[in-house]
Amino acid sequence: MAEIINVKNLSYAYQEDDPKLALDNVSFSVNDGEWIAIVGHNGSGKSTLAKSLNGILVPDEGEIFINQEKLTDETVWHIRDEIGMIFQNPENQFVGSTVADDVAFGLENHQVNHDEMVRRVQTALEQVGMSDFADHEPSKLSGGQKQRVALAGVLVLEPKIIILDESTSMLDPLGRQEMLDLVADLRQQYPLTVLSITHDINEAAQADRLLVMDDGQLVTEADPRDIFEKSQQLVEMGLDVPFSSQLAMELKKLGVAVPDHYLTNQEMEAWVWQSLSKG
Amino acid sequence: MAITFKGVTYDYQAGTPMSFSALKNIDLTVPDGDYLAVIGHTGSGKSTLVQHMNALLKPTSGSVTIGEREITSQTNNKDLKPLRKEVGMVFQFPEHQLFEETVKKDIMFGPMNFGKNEVEADQLADQMIDIVGLPENTADRSPFELSGGQMRRVAIAGVLAMQPRVLILDEPTAGLDPQGRTEMMAMFNRLHQEQGLTIILVTHQMEDVANYAKHVLVMDHGEAAKYGTAEEVFTDVEWLRANNLDLPIATQFAHQLTQRGANFTTVPLTTAELAQELARQLGGKRHE
C-alpha cells in the first residue's frame, strides 16, 4: 500500500535555547487508509506533532512528506487541503451563523461556484447525519452534534487525511462512541487515513496501530489489540485503565483470586456473578 | 460562605420575542464548606446557574444571597468586586484567558488587581505554582509555550491566588490526560478538606461526582430536577436512565449484578466501594 505520511527525524523546540525538545527526532510512516492512534501524556508532543503535519508549526529539523510530496513553504497550502483537522473544542472552529454556512466556509477559499458549493455542503451534512440541522445555529447544538458539523466542515474539502486532536474528549461516553462509529463508517465508503490523538482507551483500541509518545519522542509502537492487557503501562501511556482491570486490581488487594488475563466489563460481570452464585 | 437561591428565574433576552428562560424558579442552598456537583445535559442551565453565584449574571426575578450580599435584578453592578474575590470562577478552557508574558505575571495579575502589593502577589504566585503542581522552572516562561495541561494549571493558579472562599469549576479537567485529571481533582479536594474551601463542580464525569461530591444537583431544562447526596441521586437508576444521565461505572456494574439477582446493602459509588462489598460477599462464602 502507498505511503501517505512519511515523517523523517523531526525535531522542534518552542524556545531556541530550550534543552527540552517538544519533538525529539521523531520518525514514522503511515500507509494510505490506515487508522493510527497517537497516545501519550499532556505535554508528550502529540499536538506539536499534529501541528507540524499540516505546517502550522515549522520543525527545526527533519522532513515531512504527505502523499509523496515534501512539505515546504510552497507546498503547504496545497497539502493543507489534503489534511482536515478536528480539535477538542468545536466552538473554537465555528465561523458561520448557520450549520450550512459554517460547513461552506472552507469552500469559499477555493473558488468553488455556488451550485457546486450547495451540492457539496449537502453531501457533507448527509455524510455526518446532520442534514436536518442545516439552518440551525451551530452554538445551539449538543457537543456531539457540534463535532459532527466540524467533521462535515472538513469532509467538504475532500481530504485524504483526517486528524482528530482529542476531538472526542469533551463528549459523554455515548457521544464519543457515535463519533468513532461515524468515522469508522466513513472509512468504509471513502479512502480516508485517520490519525487520532487521544486519551480514550476505546478510541485507541479501534486503531490499526498505536504510536506512543513520551517527552517528545516516539517511544514505542503497539498493537491496539494488546493494550487492554497492559494495565500498568496504560497510565504511563497517558491512557485510562479500563474499569474491569481497576476492579480486578482492587479485588486482588482484598485477597480475592481473580483471573490473570484481561476481562471485558461484560466478562468481568459474568465472572463475578458466577463466583457469587457458587457459594 | 453559604449561597442561597430563592425563586430564581433567569431569562436570556428578557422583554424581547426571543426571550428564553434558562433558569426557572430555582430554590437552592449551598452551605458553607459544601462540595456540590451540578450535572445535566448541555443546555440544561448548569452554566447559567453557576454564573449567578458570583453575580456575573443577575436573576430576572428572585434573589441570590452570597454570604452577606443579596443580588436581585435591581443590584448595582458597581460594588461587586469584593464578591468576585470571594467567589473564584474557573471557566471551561481557562487557558484561553492567559495573556501575560510570563507564567508568574499571569498568576500575579488577580491578587494585584484585588489590592495585594507586588511582593505579596509574588509570594502567592510561588505558593500556587507549587499547589497546582507546575515545575518551578516554568515561572519565568511564557504561558503560551507550555503544554495544554500546564496552561490549564497556570489559569487555575491565577484563580487560587485570589484566595477565594468559594471555587466554581466548570468542567475543569476536560482534555487532560487521565493522570492529570486524577491529580487535579485530588488537588481541589485537598483545598476543600484542608482549607474548608466550598466547591461547586459542573461536570459530565460521574466518577468525579461519586468520588468527591457531598451533594448533587441535577439540572434539566432550566429546572432543579433532583437534589440530594450522591448516594441518593445515583440510587434512582430508572430515573437517571429515563433522563439519559450516566451512572458512575461502579454503580452501573452493581446495578447489572443486581438484575442478575445479586444483593447490595448499600449502593457502591466507587470502584473501591464495589470491590469491598464484593470481597465481603465472596470471602464470606469461601469460609462457609
Side-chain angles (χ1 to χ4, degrees), chain A residues 15 18 41-43 88-89 92 166 170 173 199 238-240 243 250-251 254-255 265 269 273 275-276 279, chain B residues 93 96 141 145 147 175-179 181 246 249 253 256 260-262 271 274-276 281-282 285-286:
Chain A
Q15 274 173 326
D18 199 336
H41 285 295
N42 284 125
Q88 188 174 24
N89 188 358
N92 295 341
E166 295 183 32
M170 291 203 60
H199 298 304
L239 293 171
D240 241 338
F243 169 75
E250 294 282 344
L251 285 172
L254 297 168
N265 286 356
E269 188 193 316
W273 175 239
S275 313
L276 283 174
Chain B
F93 298 98
H96 295 164
R141 295 183 59 174
E145 289 165 356
S147 74
L176 296 185
D177 64 41
Q179 197 184 351
R181 219 156 60 204
D246 293 320
I249 190 156
F253 192 87
Q256 316 264 87
R260 286 180 185 248
T271 311
L274 173 66
Q276 257 162 24
Q281 295 192 19
L282 290 168
K285 290 210 167 118
R286 214 179 293 154

Side-chain angles (χ1 to χ4, degrees), chain B residues 173-192:
Chain B
T173 62
L176 296 185
D177 64 41
Q179 197 184 351
R181 219 156 60 204
T182 310
E183 283 171 12
M184 193 160 284
M185 291 312 296
M187 187 256 307
F188 291 132
N189 197 43
R190 248 190 341 266
L191 293 170
H192 169 68

Side-chain angles (χ1 to χ4, degrees), chain A residues 77 88 127 132 150 228 240 276:
Chain A
W77 299 102
Q88 188 174 24
Q127 286 173 332
D132 292 347
F228 288 107
D240 241 338
L276 283 174

Side-chain angles (χ1 to χ4, degrees), chain A residues 71-122:
Chain A
L71 180 64
T72 64
D73 285 351
E74 283 77 42
T75 59
V76 64
W77 299 102
H78 168 61
I79 281 176
R80 274 185 198 164
D81 290 345
E82 309 209 354
I83 305 180
M85 284 188 86
I86 305 189
F87 300 97
Q88 188 174 24
N89 188 358
E91 313 224 340
N92 295 341
Q93 33 193 352
F94 283 139
V95 287
S97 57
T98 66
V99 164
D101 279 359
D102 199 83
V103 174
F105 178 78
L107 290 175
E108 286 172 10
N109 292 322
H110 287 78
Q111 287 125 24
V112 176
N113 71 47
H114 182 76
D115 291 347
E116 167 80 2
M117 201 186 277
V118 170
R119 190 188 61 75
R120 279 170 70 174
V121 168
Q122 269 174 1

Side-chain angles (χ1 to χ4, degrees), chain A residues 151-171:
Chain A
L151 184 58
V154 159
L155 290 173
V156 78
L157 296 169
E158 296 168 359
K160 293 196 170 64
I161 302 167
I162 288 185
I163 300 180
L164 305 171
D165 190 354
E166 295 183 32
S167 47
T168 63
S169 69
M170 291 203 60
L171 306 181

